[in-house]
Amino acid sequence: MTSVWKPEVVWSRPEEERAGTPLIVLFHGYMSHERDLIGLAPMLPPEFTLASVRAPHAIGPSFAWFGLASDLSYSTPEAVGAAADVVAWLDTVKDQFTSVTLLGFSMGMAMATSVARHRPAEIAAVVGLSGFAVEGENDFFDDDAVASAGLPLFWGRGDADPVITEAKIDFTNRWANAKTKLTKMKYANLAHSINPTEMGHVCEFLRQTVPLVAVEA
């Protein structure tokens, strides 16, 4: 029997307050950690419970979801394997929540979109920030099901981002336009980062897309 991956997770609310809320799973970028994106909590709708997950591969004091070369090349099977571990972990926690949304920054967007491409019917929405989608043929992705589900995807990036290559942007653009219900935003003078204007647009997208349950006082 294969054991389920048990990642380090930072939650935005205690366990006894999570049931019946919508969930956002946060995927950090390359050489970061689970305490990074949880800092977005004040800029996201308070109805959500946030779960910020640590990637499995240690790089010094930081972590990565899969190996990444300086030109952003990577192993598709390795990326898919990491996404499969996330799916298995999600199966252990998702039932207490009213919905599951995925948000990823940089390499974390590759993870968020990969998980959604495996089980699109179970994902309410995906938010990708300054990132890319995984290329390569494999049996894990079901892009026809993604298209049939009309998966809502918010993709935001800066026009001054020096990290994500044009090849990665081109593939992600073609895939997202063909297979998702895409909201695409590009921000002037934004590098490989996130700004308050973008997070305002993310909140608007989430409120329009994901049914929210009011949090009791």
Side-chain angles (χ1 to χ4, degrees), residues 25-36:
V25 182
L26 305 176
F27 301 94
H28 64 74
Y30 183 70
M31 292 190 69
S32 188
H33 50 79
E34 72 279 10
R35 297 193 176 275
D36 183 7

Side-chain angles (χ1 to χ4, degrees), residues 107-191:
M107 175 185 275
M109 179 179 171
M111 292 305 301
T113 51
S114 292
V115 171
R117 291 167 77 180
H118 182 61
R119 289 188 182 170
E122 298 180 10
I123 303 303
V126 177
V127 175
L129 306 176
S130 300
F132 58 93
V134 170
E135 297 182 64
E137 295 294 327
N138 63 86
D139 294 333
F140 187 76
F141 296 151
D142 191 349
D143 284 336
D144 289 339
V146 172
S148 296
L151 179 71
L153 170 64
F154 179 97
W155 179 26
R157 64 185 184 89
D159 67 0
D161 188 339
V163 175
I164 307 302
T165 64
E166 286 300 319
K168 294 287 185 292
I169 292 169
D170 179 65
F171 170 79
T172 303
N173 190 53
R174 287 186 285 108
W175 169 77
N177 274 291
K179 300 299 183 179
T180 75
K181 185 178 179 182
L182 177 64
T183 299
K184 182 169 63 173
M185 301 294 294
K186 186 160 68 171
Y187 300 92
N189 304 314
L190 179 65

